[in-house]
Amino acid sequence: MKKQIFMNGKVMTMNQEQKECEAFIVEGEHIIKTGSNEEILAFQKDKIKIVDLRGKRVIPGLNDSHMHLLGYALSNKKVDLTHCRSLEEIAQAINRYIENEDDQYFGEWIIGHGWNHENFQVPQLPTAVFLDEISQERPILLSRACYHIGVMNHKALEMVGFSQETENPEGGHIDRLPNSEKPMGIVRESALYHAHDFIPGPEDVMQIQDLILDACQDAVKVGLTSIQSDDFGAVKSPNTVLEAYGNLEKSGALKVRMNLQMLLPTLDKLQRFIKTTGIHSQMGSERLKYGPIKILADGSLGSRTAALERPYSDDEETQGVLVYGDAQLEEILRYGKSQGMQLAIHGIGDRTMNQILGIVEGIFQKDEINHRSRIIHCQITDHAIIDKMAKLHVIADIQPGFMPTDMKIVERRVGRDRVKESYNWKTMLEGGVPVAGSSDSPVEPFNPFLGIYSAVTRRNFDGEPKAGWYPEQRLTVEEAIGIYTLGSSYATFEENSKGKIQEGYLADFIVLDRDIQTIPPQEIKGVTVEATYIGGECVYSHEETRQK
Ligand SMILES: [Zn+2]
């Protein structure tokens, strides 16, 4: 098998027994030895290729424990309206998009995102009539930068079934024309989410493969060598996703190590999926593995749908929504467990966290500590919840990159008392909760250095607040890298093969442009990747792209 020596590096190994080394040997896909330059060069023979790391900081490849890779790829196919400063500019952007459209990703629909009328010279909301001037044949839906408000043309309103007879859905609003029941085009909250259900995702396997490859190319540029992705929500049928990833793996085109999180929200869907595919968690290869089933148990803080134990501080009437009753959720999770499925549940509010933990406690015996059930997001917690997570060995899949956005609203939503014990990542780590790092892209960008920056500084990207937001919860650089390496590989039962630069581990590592350990924390968000190696193969090199 082909051997390579990597030397002259400042290598952060994440191996507690030997935290730093200068050099290592890779044979095939694995690291077979680490040590000083001298120790490693003693193994040099004529044929061994030597790579000079030029004194650069090297760390294990980063592993995003929860994102939506296809969702990210598709978000790049929408009309970007972020920079529009008038309705006219929106119309221009859409017309340009239609002219240059090479392929359709949402069926006939034209989907745009990012407008904000408060940035317009004349701050007025777009209307259905305005969009009709762009197209009356194709449905158009443009969501506002906040994702809570959208505007649709009449074709789209008709396809979704919004008319003067339609009542406002619960938790949402269809804006009407003055003195009329006729929709004017603007839809809010659940009315917008309802409309989303009508947008077809891609169905063509080849098209999905191309989307995956494009997204992977972006991912390796920021140092992601492993991705745990929840993609079923982006397409009509999960089978097309499975087929696309399967084809890419077989052809060798899939470089990033993928772990698929399988969104199967009802008992019926879960049963049918297992019966027809025979899939269970941890099946697969080192490039493509099936991960946990994914269940959404509540909503979000922004829309006040995350379920809380006590009402929202800025809306005493609202406590959020549990998506499932206890018995219903337990039935799904119990069945999943019985079929060899790992469990990953989206939970943001404390009430949801308590619901999930209560069920997990009931379905696993005390000695079954290796179930690695996961709660994705874990935002509103208290010390009792954190203690219980540690006791039950439940993994927290956190998104440090949410913090710069969330810190603006969380105190308003839940009040200081509850915030104090929320986003408590240091407390989790110190209390023995396994913590995995992720982005939830496309909700936030998947560049892991933004997440590491947030976890280390607890500041937003403008550097505020200077002292950090609840700074006692700041992580060290090593801890923050740890959650994106050790933590994320633990979440997929792969801590003995991934996440360290150590003998026997997969040769997944990245070379950084500067030493993340010693630069001022404020600079971490600007760290870039010079080279990314997966299984000893260089899958991205900054040098090469420069030469091209
Ligand atoms: Zn997600």
Side-chain angles (χ1 to χ4, degrees):
M1 239 183 302
K2 192 179 120 194
K3 274 191 196 168
Q4 305 173 76
I5 286 179
F6 292 84
M7 58 176 292
N8 288 331
K10 274 162 82 179
V11 183
M12 181 195 262
T13 63
M14 298 311 285
N15 170 7
Q16 287 312 304
E17 275 137 47
Q18 185 208 17
K19 286 190 174 189
E20 295 273 335
C21 73
E22 291 174 325
F24 51 92
I25 307 174
V26 172
E27 182 173 0
E29 284 218 47
H30 291 85
I31 293 160
I32 57 164
K33 189 151 190 60
T34 62
S36 64
N37 286 330
E38 227 173 27
E39 284 165 333
I40 294 302
L41 282 177
F43 290 85
Q44 189 197 356
K45 291 198 194 98
D46 293 346
K47 271 184 265 161
I48 301 185
K49 179 183 165 195
I50 297 185
V51 179
D52 185 356
L53 296 166
R54 295 171 295 132
K56 294 282 181 182
R57 173 56 77 188
V58 176
I59 64 173
L62 299 170
N63 181 342
D64 191 313
S65 82
H66 172 73
M67 70 147 94
H68 308 269
L69 192 70
L70 262 183
Y72 161 82
L74 284 170
S75 71
N76 293 337
K77 303 295 181 190
K78 296 177 182 171
V79 193
D80 182 7
L81 305 170
T82 342
H83 303 293
C84 293
R85 293 291 171 269
S86 64
L87 291 179
E88 207 168 81
E89 286 184 23
I90 289 185
Q92 284 164 359
I94 299 174
N95 285 324
R96 253 197 321 271
Y97 172 87
I98 295 172
E99 273 165 38
N100 299 319
E101 203 176 25
D102 52 344
D103 209 350
Q104 292 186 345
Y105 294 89
F106 310 99
E108 279 294 293
W109 287 69
I110 297 166
I111 307 298
H113 167 72
W115 61 272
N116 183 350
H117 63 296
E118 278 155 34
N119 297 336
F120 294 174
Q121 284 122 7
V122 186
Q124 61 185 137
L125 287 167
T127 63
V129 170
F130 160 72
L131 293 180
D132 284 351
E133 282 172 31
I134 301 167
S135 179
Q136 295 185 21
E137 291 81 45
R138 295 180 64 180
I140 304 177
L141 170 61
L142 313 176
S143 49
R144 191 174 176 273
C146 63
Y147 280 108
H148 293 283
I149 299 175
V151 61
M152 304 159 77
N153 66 351
H154 280 106
K155 180 74 186 176
L157 288 167
E158 180 197 312
M159 286 176 74
V160 172
F162 287 164
S163 71
Q164 52 197 27
E165 278 91 47
T166 320
E167 280 179 33
N168 290 328
E170 203 183 312
H173 197 267
I174 303 165
D175 288 15
R176 318 281 168 161
L177 290 168
N179 308 317
S180 160
E181 288 301 310
K182 280 195 186 138
M184 57 76 78
I186 292 284
V187 290
R188 297 167 194 266
E189 302 287 349
S190 72
L192 173 63
Y193 312 143
H194 176 74
H196 282 162
D197 292 342
F198 288 80
I199 304 167
E203 287 172 58
D204 178 55
V205 174
M206 288 291 285
Q207 194 184 42
I208 296 173
Q209 287 175 206
D210 288 345
L211 287 165
I212 293 169
L213 288 181
D214 280 355
C216 283
Q217 224 163 45
D218 291 346
V220 295
K221 280 184 202 158
V222 292
L224 291 172
T225 56
S226 289
I227 290 176
Q228 305 175 36
S229 188
D230 170 3
D231 293 321
F232 287 5
V235 291
K236 219 171 182 178
S237 153
N239 294 335
T240 53
V241 173
L242 299 179
E243 203 183 325
Y245 278 112
N247 290 344
L248 291 174
E249 192 219 3
K250 257 183 255 142
S251 71
L254 189 66
K255 300 296 181 194
V256 176
R257 301 184 194 281
M258 296 298 309
N259 186 283
L260 304 186
Q261 301 181 339
M262 301 174 286
L263 181 73
L264 295 159
T266 64
L267 185 62
D268 180 52
K269 281 194 176 147
L270 178 59
Q271 283 174 332
R272 251 187 300 143
F273 178 81
I274 291 173
K275 283 204 182 98
T276 53
T277 64
I279 284 171
H280 60 79
S281 301
Q282 295 189 64
M283 252 172 81
S285 69
E286 272 167 346
R287 291 285 157 157
L288 176 61
K289 261 199 174 59
Y290 302 102
I293 55 166
K294 159 96 186 299
I295 306 286
L296 286 151
D298 70 356
S300 73
L301 286 171
S303 58
R304 296 190 194 83
T305 47
L308 300 180
E309 293 288 357
R310 286 175 288 125
Y312 278 84
S313 303
D314 55 357
D315 185 353
E316 284 292 319
E317 309 271 284
T318 307
Q319 236 176 304
V321 203
L322 286 176
V323 175
Y324 301 92
D326 293 353
Q328 197 187 10
L329 182 58
E330 179 170 345
E331 195 182 18
I332 298 173
L333 297 181
R334 244 184 220 288
Y335 177 75
K337 180 204 166 189
S338 74
Q339 299 299 309
M341 288 291 192
Q342 186 189 7
L343 312 175
I345 307 115
H346 161 119
I348 290 181
D350 50 0
R351 186 153 164 240
T352 320
M353 305 272 294
N354 281 322
Q355 181 192 37
I356 298 166
L357 291 171
I359 293 170
V360 166
E361 188 169 31
I363 61 181
F364 292 100
Q365 305 297 324
K366 275 210 173 61
D367 56 350
E368 282 182 282
I369 56 170
N370 210 24
H371 54 84
R372 308 207 186 178
S373 302
R374 305 159 63 165
I375 302 182
I376 296 177
H377 303 309
C378 298
Q379 277 155 263
I380 306 303
T381 51
D382 57 33
H383 289 161
I385 289 173
I386 294 172
D387 288 347
K388 201 160 180 184
M389 290 187 78
K391 192 186 107 193
L392 298 174
H393 306 275
V394 170
I395 297 166
D397 284 281
I398 63 161
Q399 294 75 37
F402 276 13
M403 194 172 42
T405 312
D406 283 2
M407 64 168 86
K408 283 180 263 174
I409 64 154
V410 178
E411 247 171 52
R412 224 169 40 226
R413 286 283 188 276
V414 301
R416 263 192 96 81
D417 274 1
R418 280 184 285 195
V419 175
K420 257 193 311 211
E421 298 186 14
S422 299
Y423 300 78
N424 266 215
W425 304 325
K426 188 80 166 185
T427 308
M428 284 181 180
L429 282 177
E430 284 174 348
V433 177
V435 179
S438 62
S439 64
D440 204 19
S441 167
V443 177
E444 293 291 339
F446 58 45
N447 178 352
F449 294 98
L450 301 180
I452 293 169
Y453 163 83
S454 304
V456 170
T457 64
R458 309 248 330 168
R459 294 180 193 144
N460 67 18
F461 297 119
D462 298 324
E464 298 295 333
K466 289 245 158 12
W469 189 65
Y470 297 87
E472 61 285 355
Q473 293 294 329
R474 279 185 303 219
L475 304 188
T476 64
V477 172
E478 195 185 327
E479 284 169 334
I481 292 175
I483 64 174
Y484 286 91
T485 51
L486 309 176
S488 297
S489 61
Y490 179 82
T492 54
F493 298 84
E494 292 171 296
E495 72 276 18
N496 293 319
S497 62
K498 269 204 265 197
K500 293 184 192 177
I501 296 175
Q502 187 182 323
E503 200 180 309
Y505 276 67
L506 288 165
D508 299 352
F509 56 90
I510 57 180
V511 184
L512 306 182
D513 70 330
R514 57 198 112 161
D515 186 358
I516 191 168
Q517 271 285 40
T518 55
I519 54 174
Q522 192 59 24
E523 279 183 34
I524 294 174
K525 63 181 192 293
V527 168
T528 62
V529 173
E530 302 221 318
T532 301
Y533 288 82
I534 301 180
E537 180 190 353
C538 182
V539 295
Y540 166 71
S541 156
H542 177 62
E543 288 288 312
E544 254 170 48
T545 42
R546 252 203 323 231
Q547 282 161 14
K548 263 177 203 163

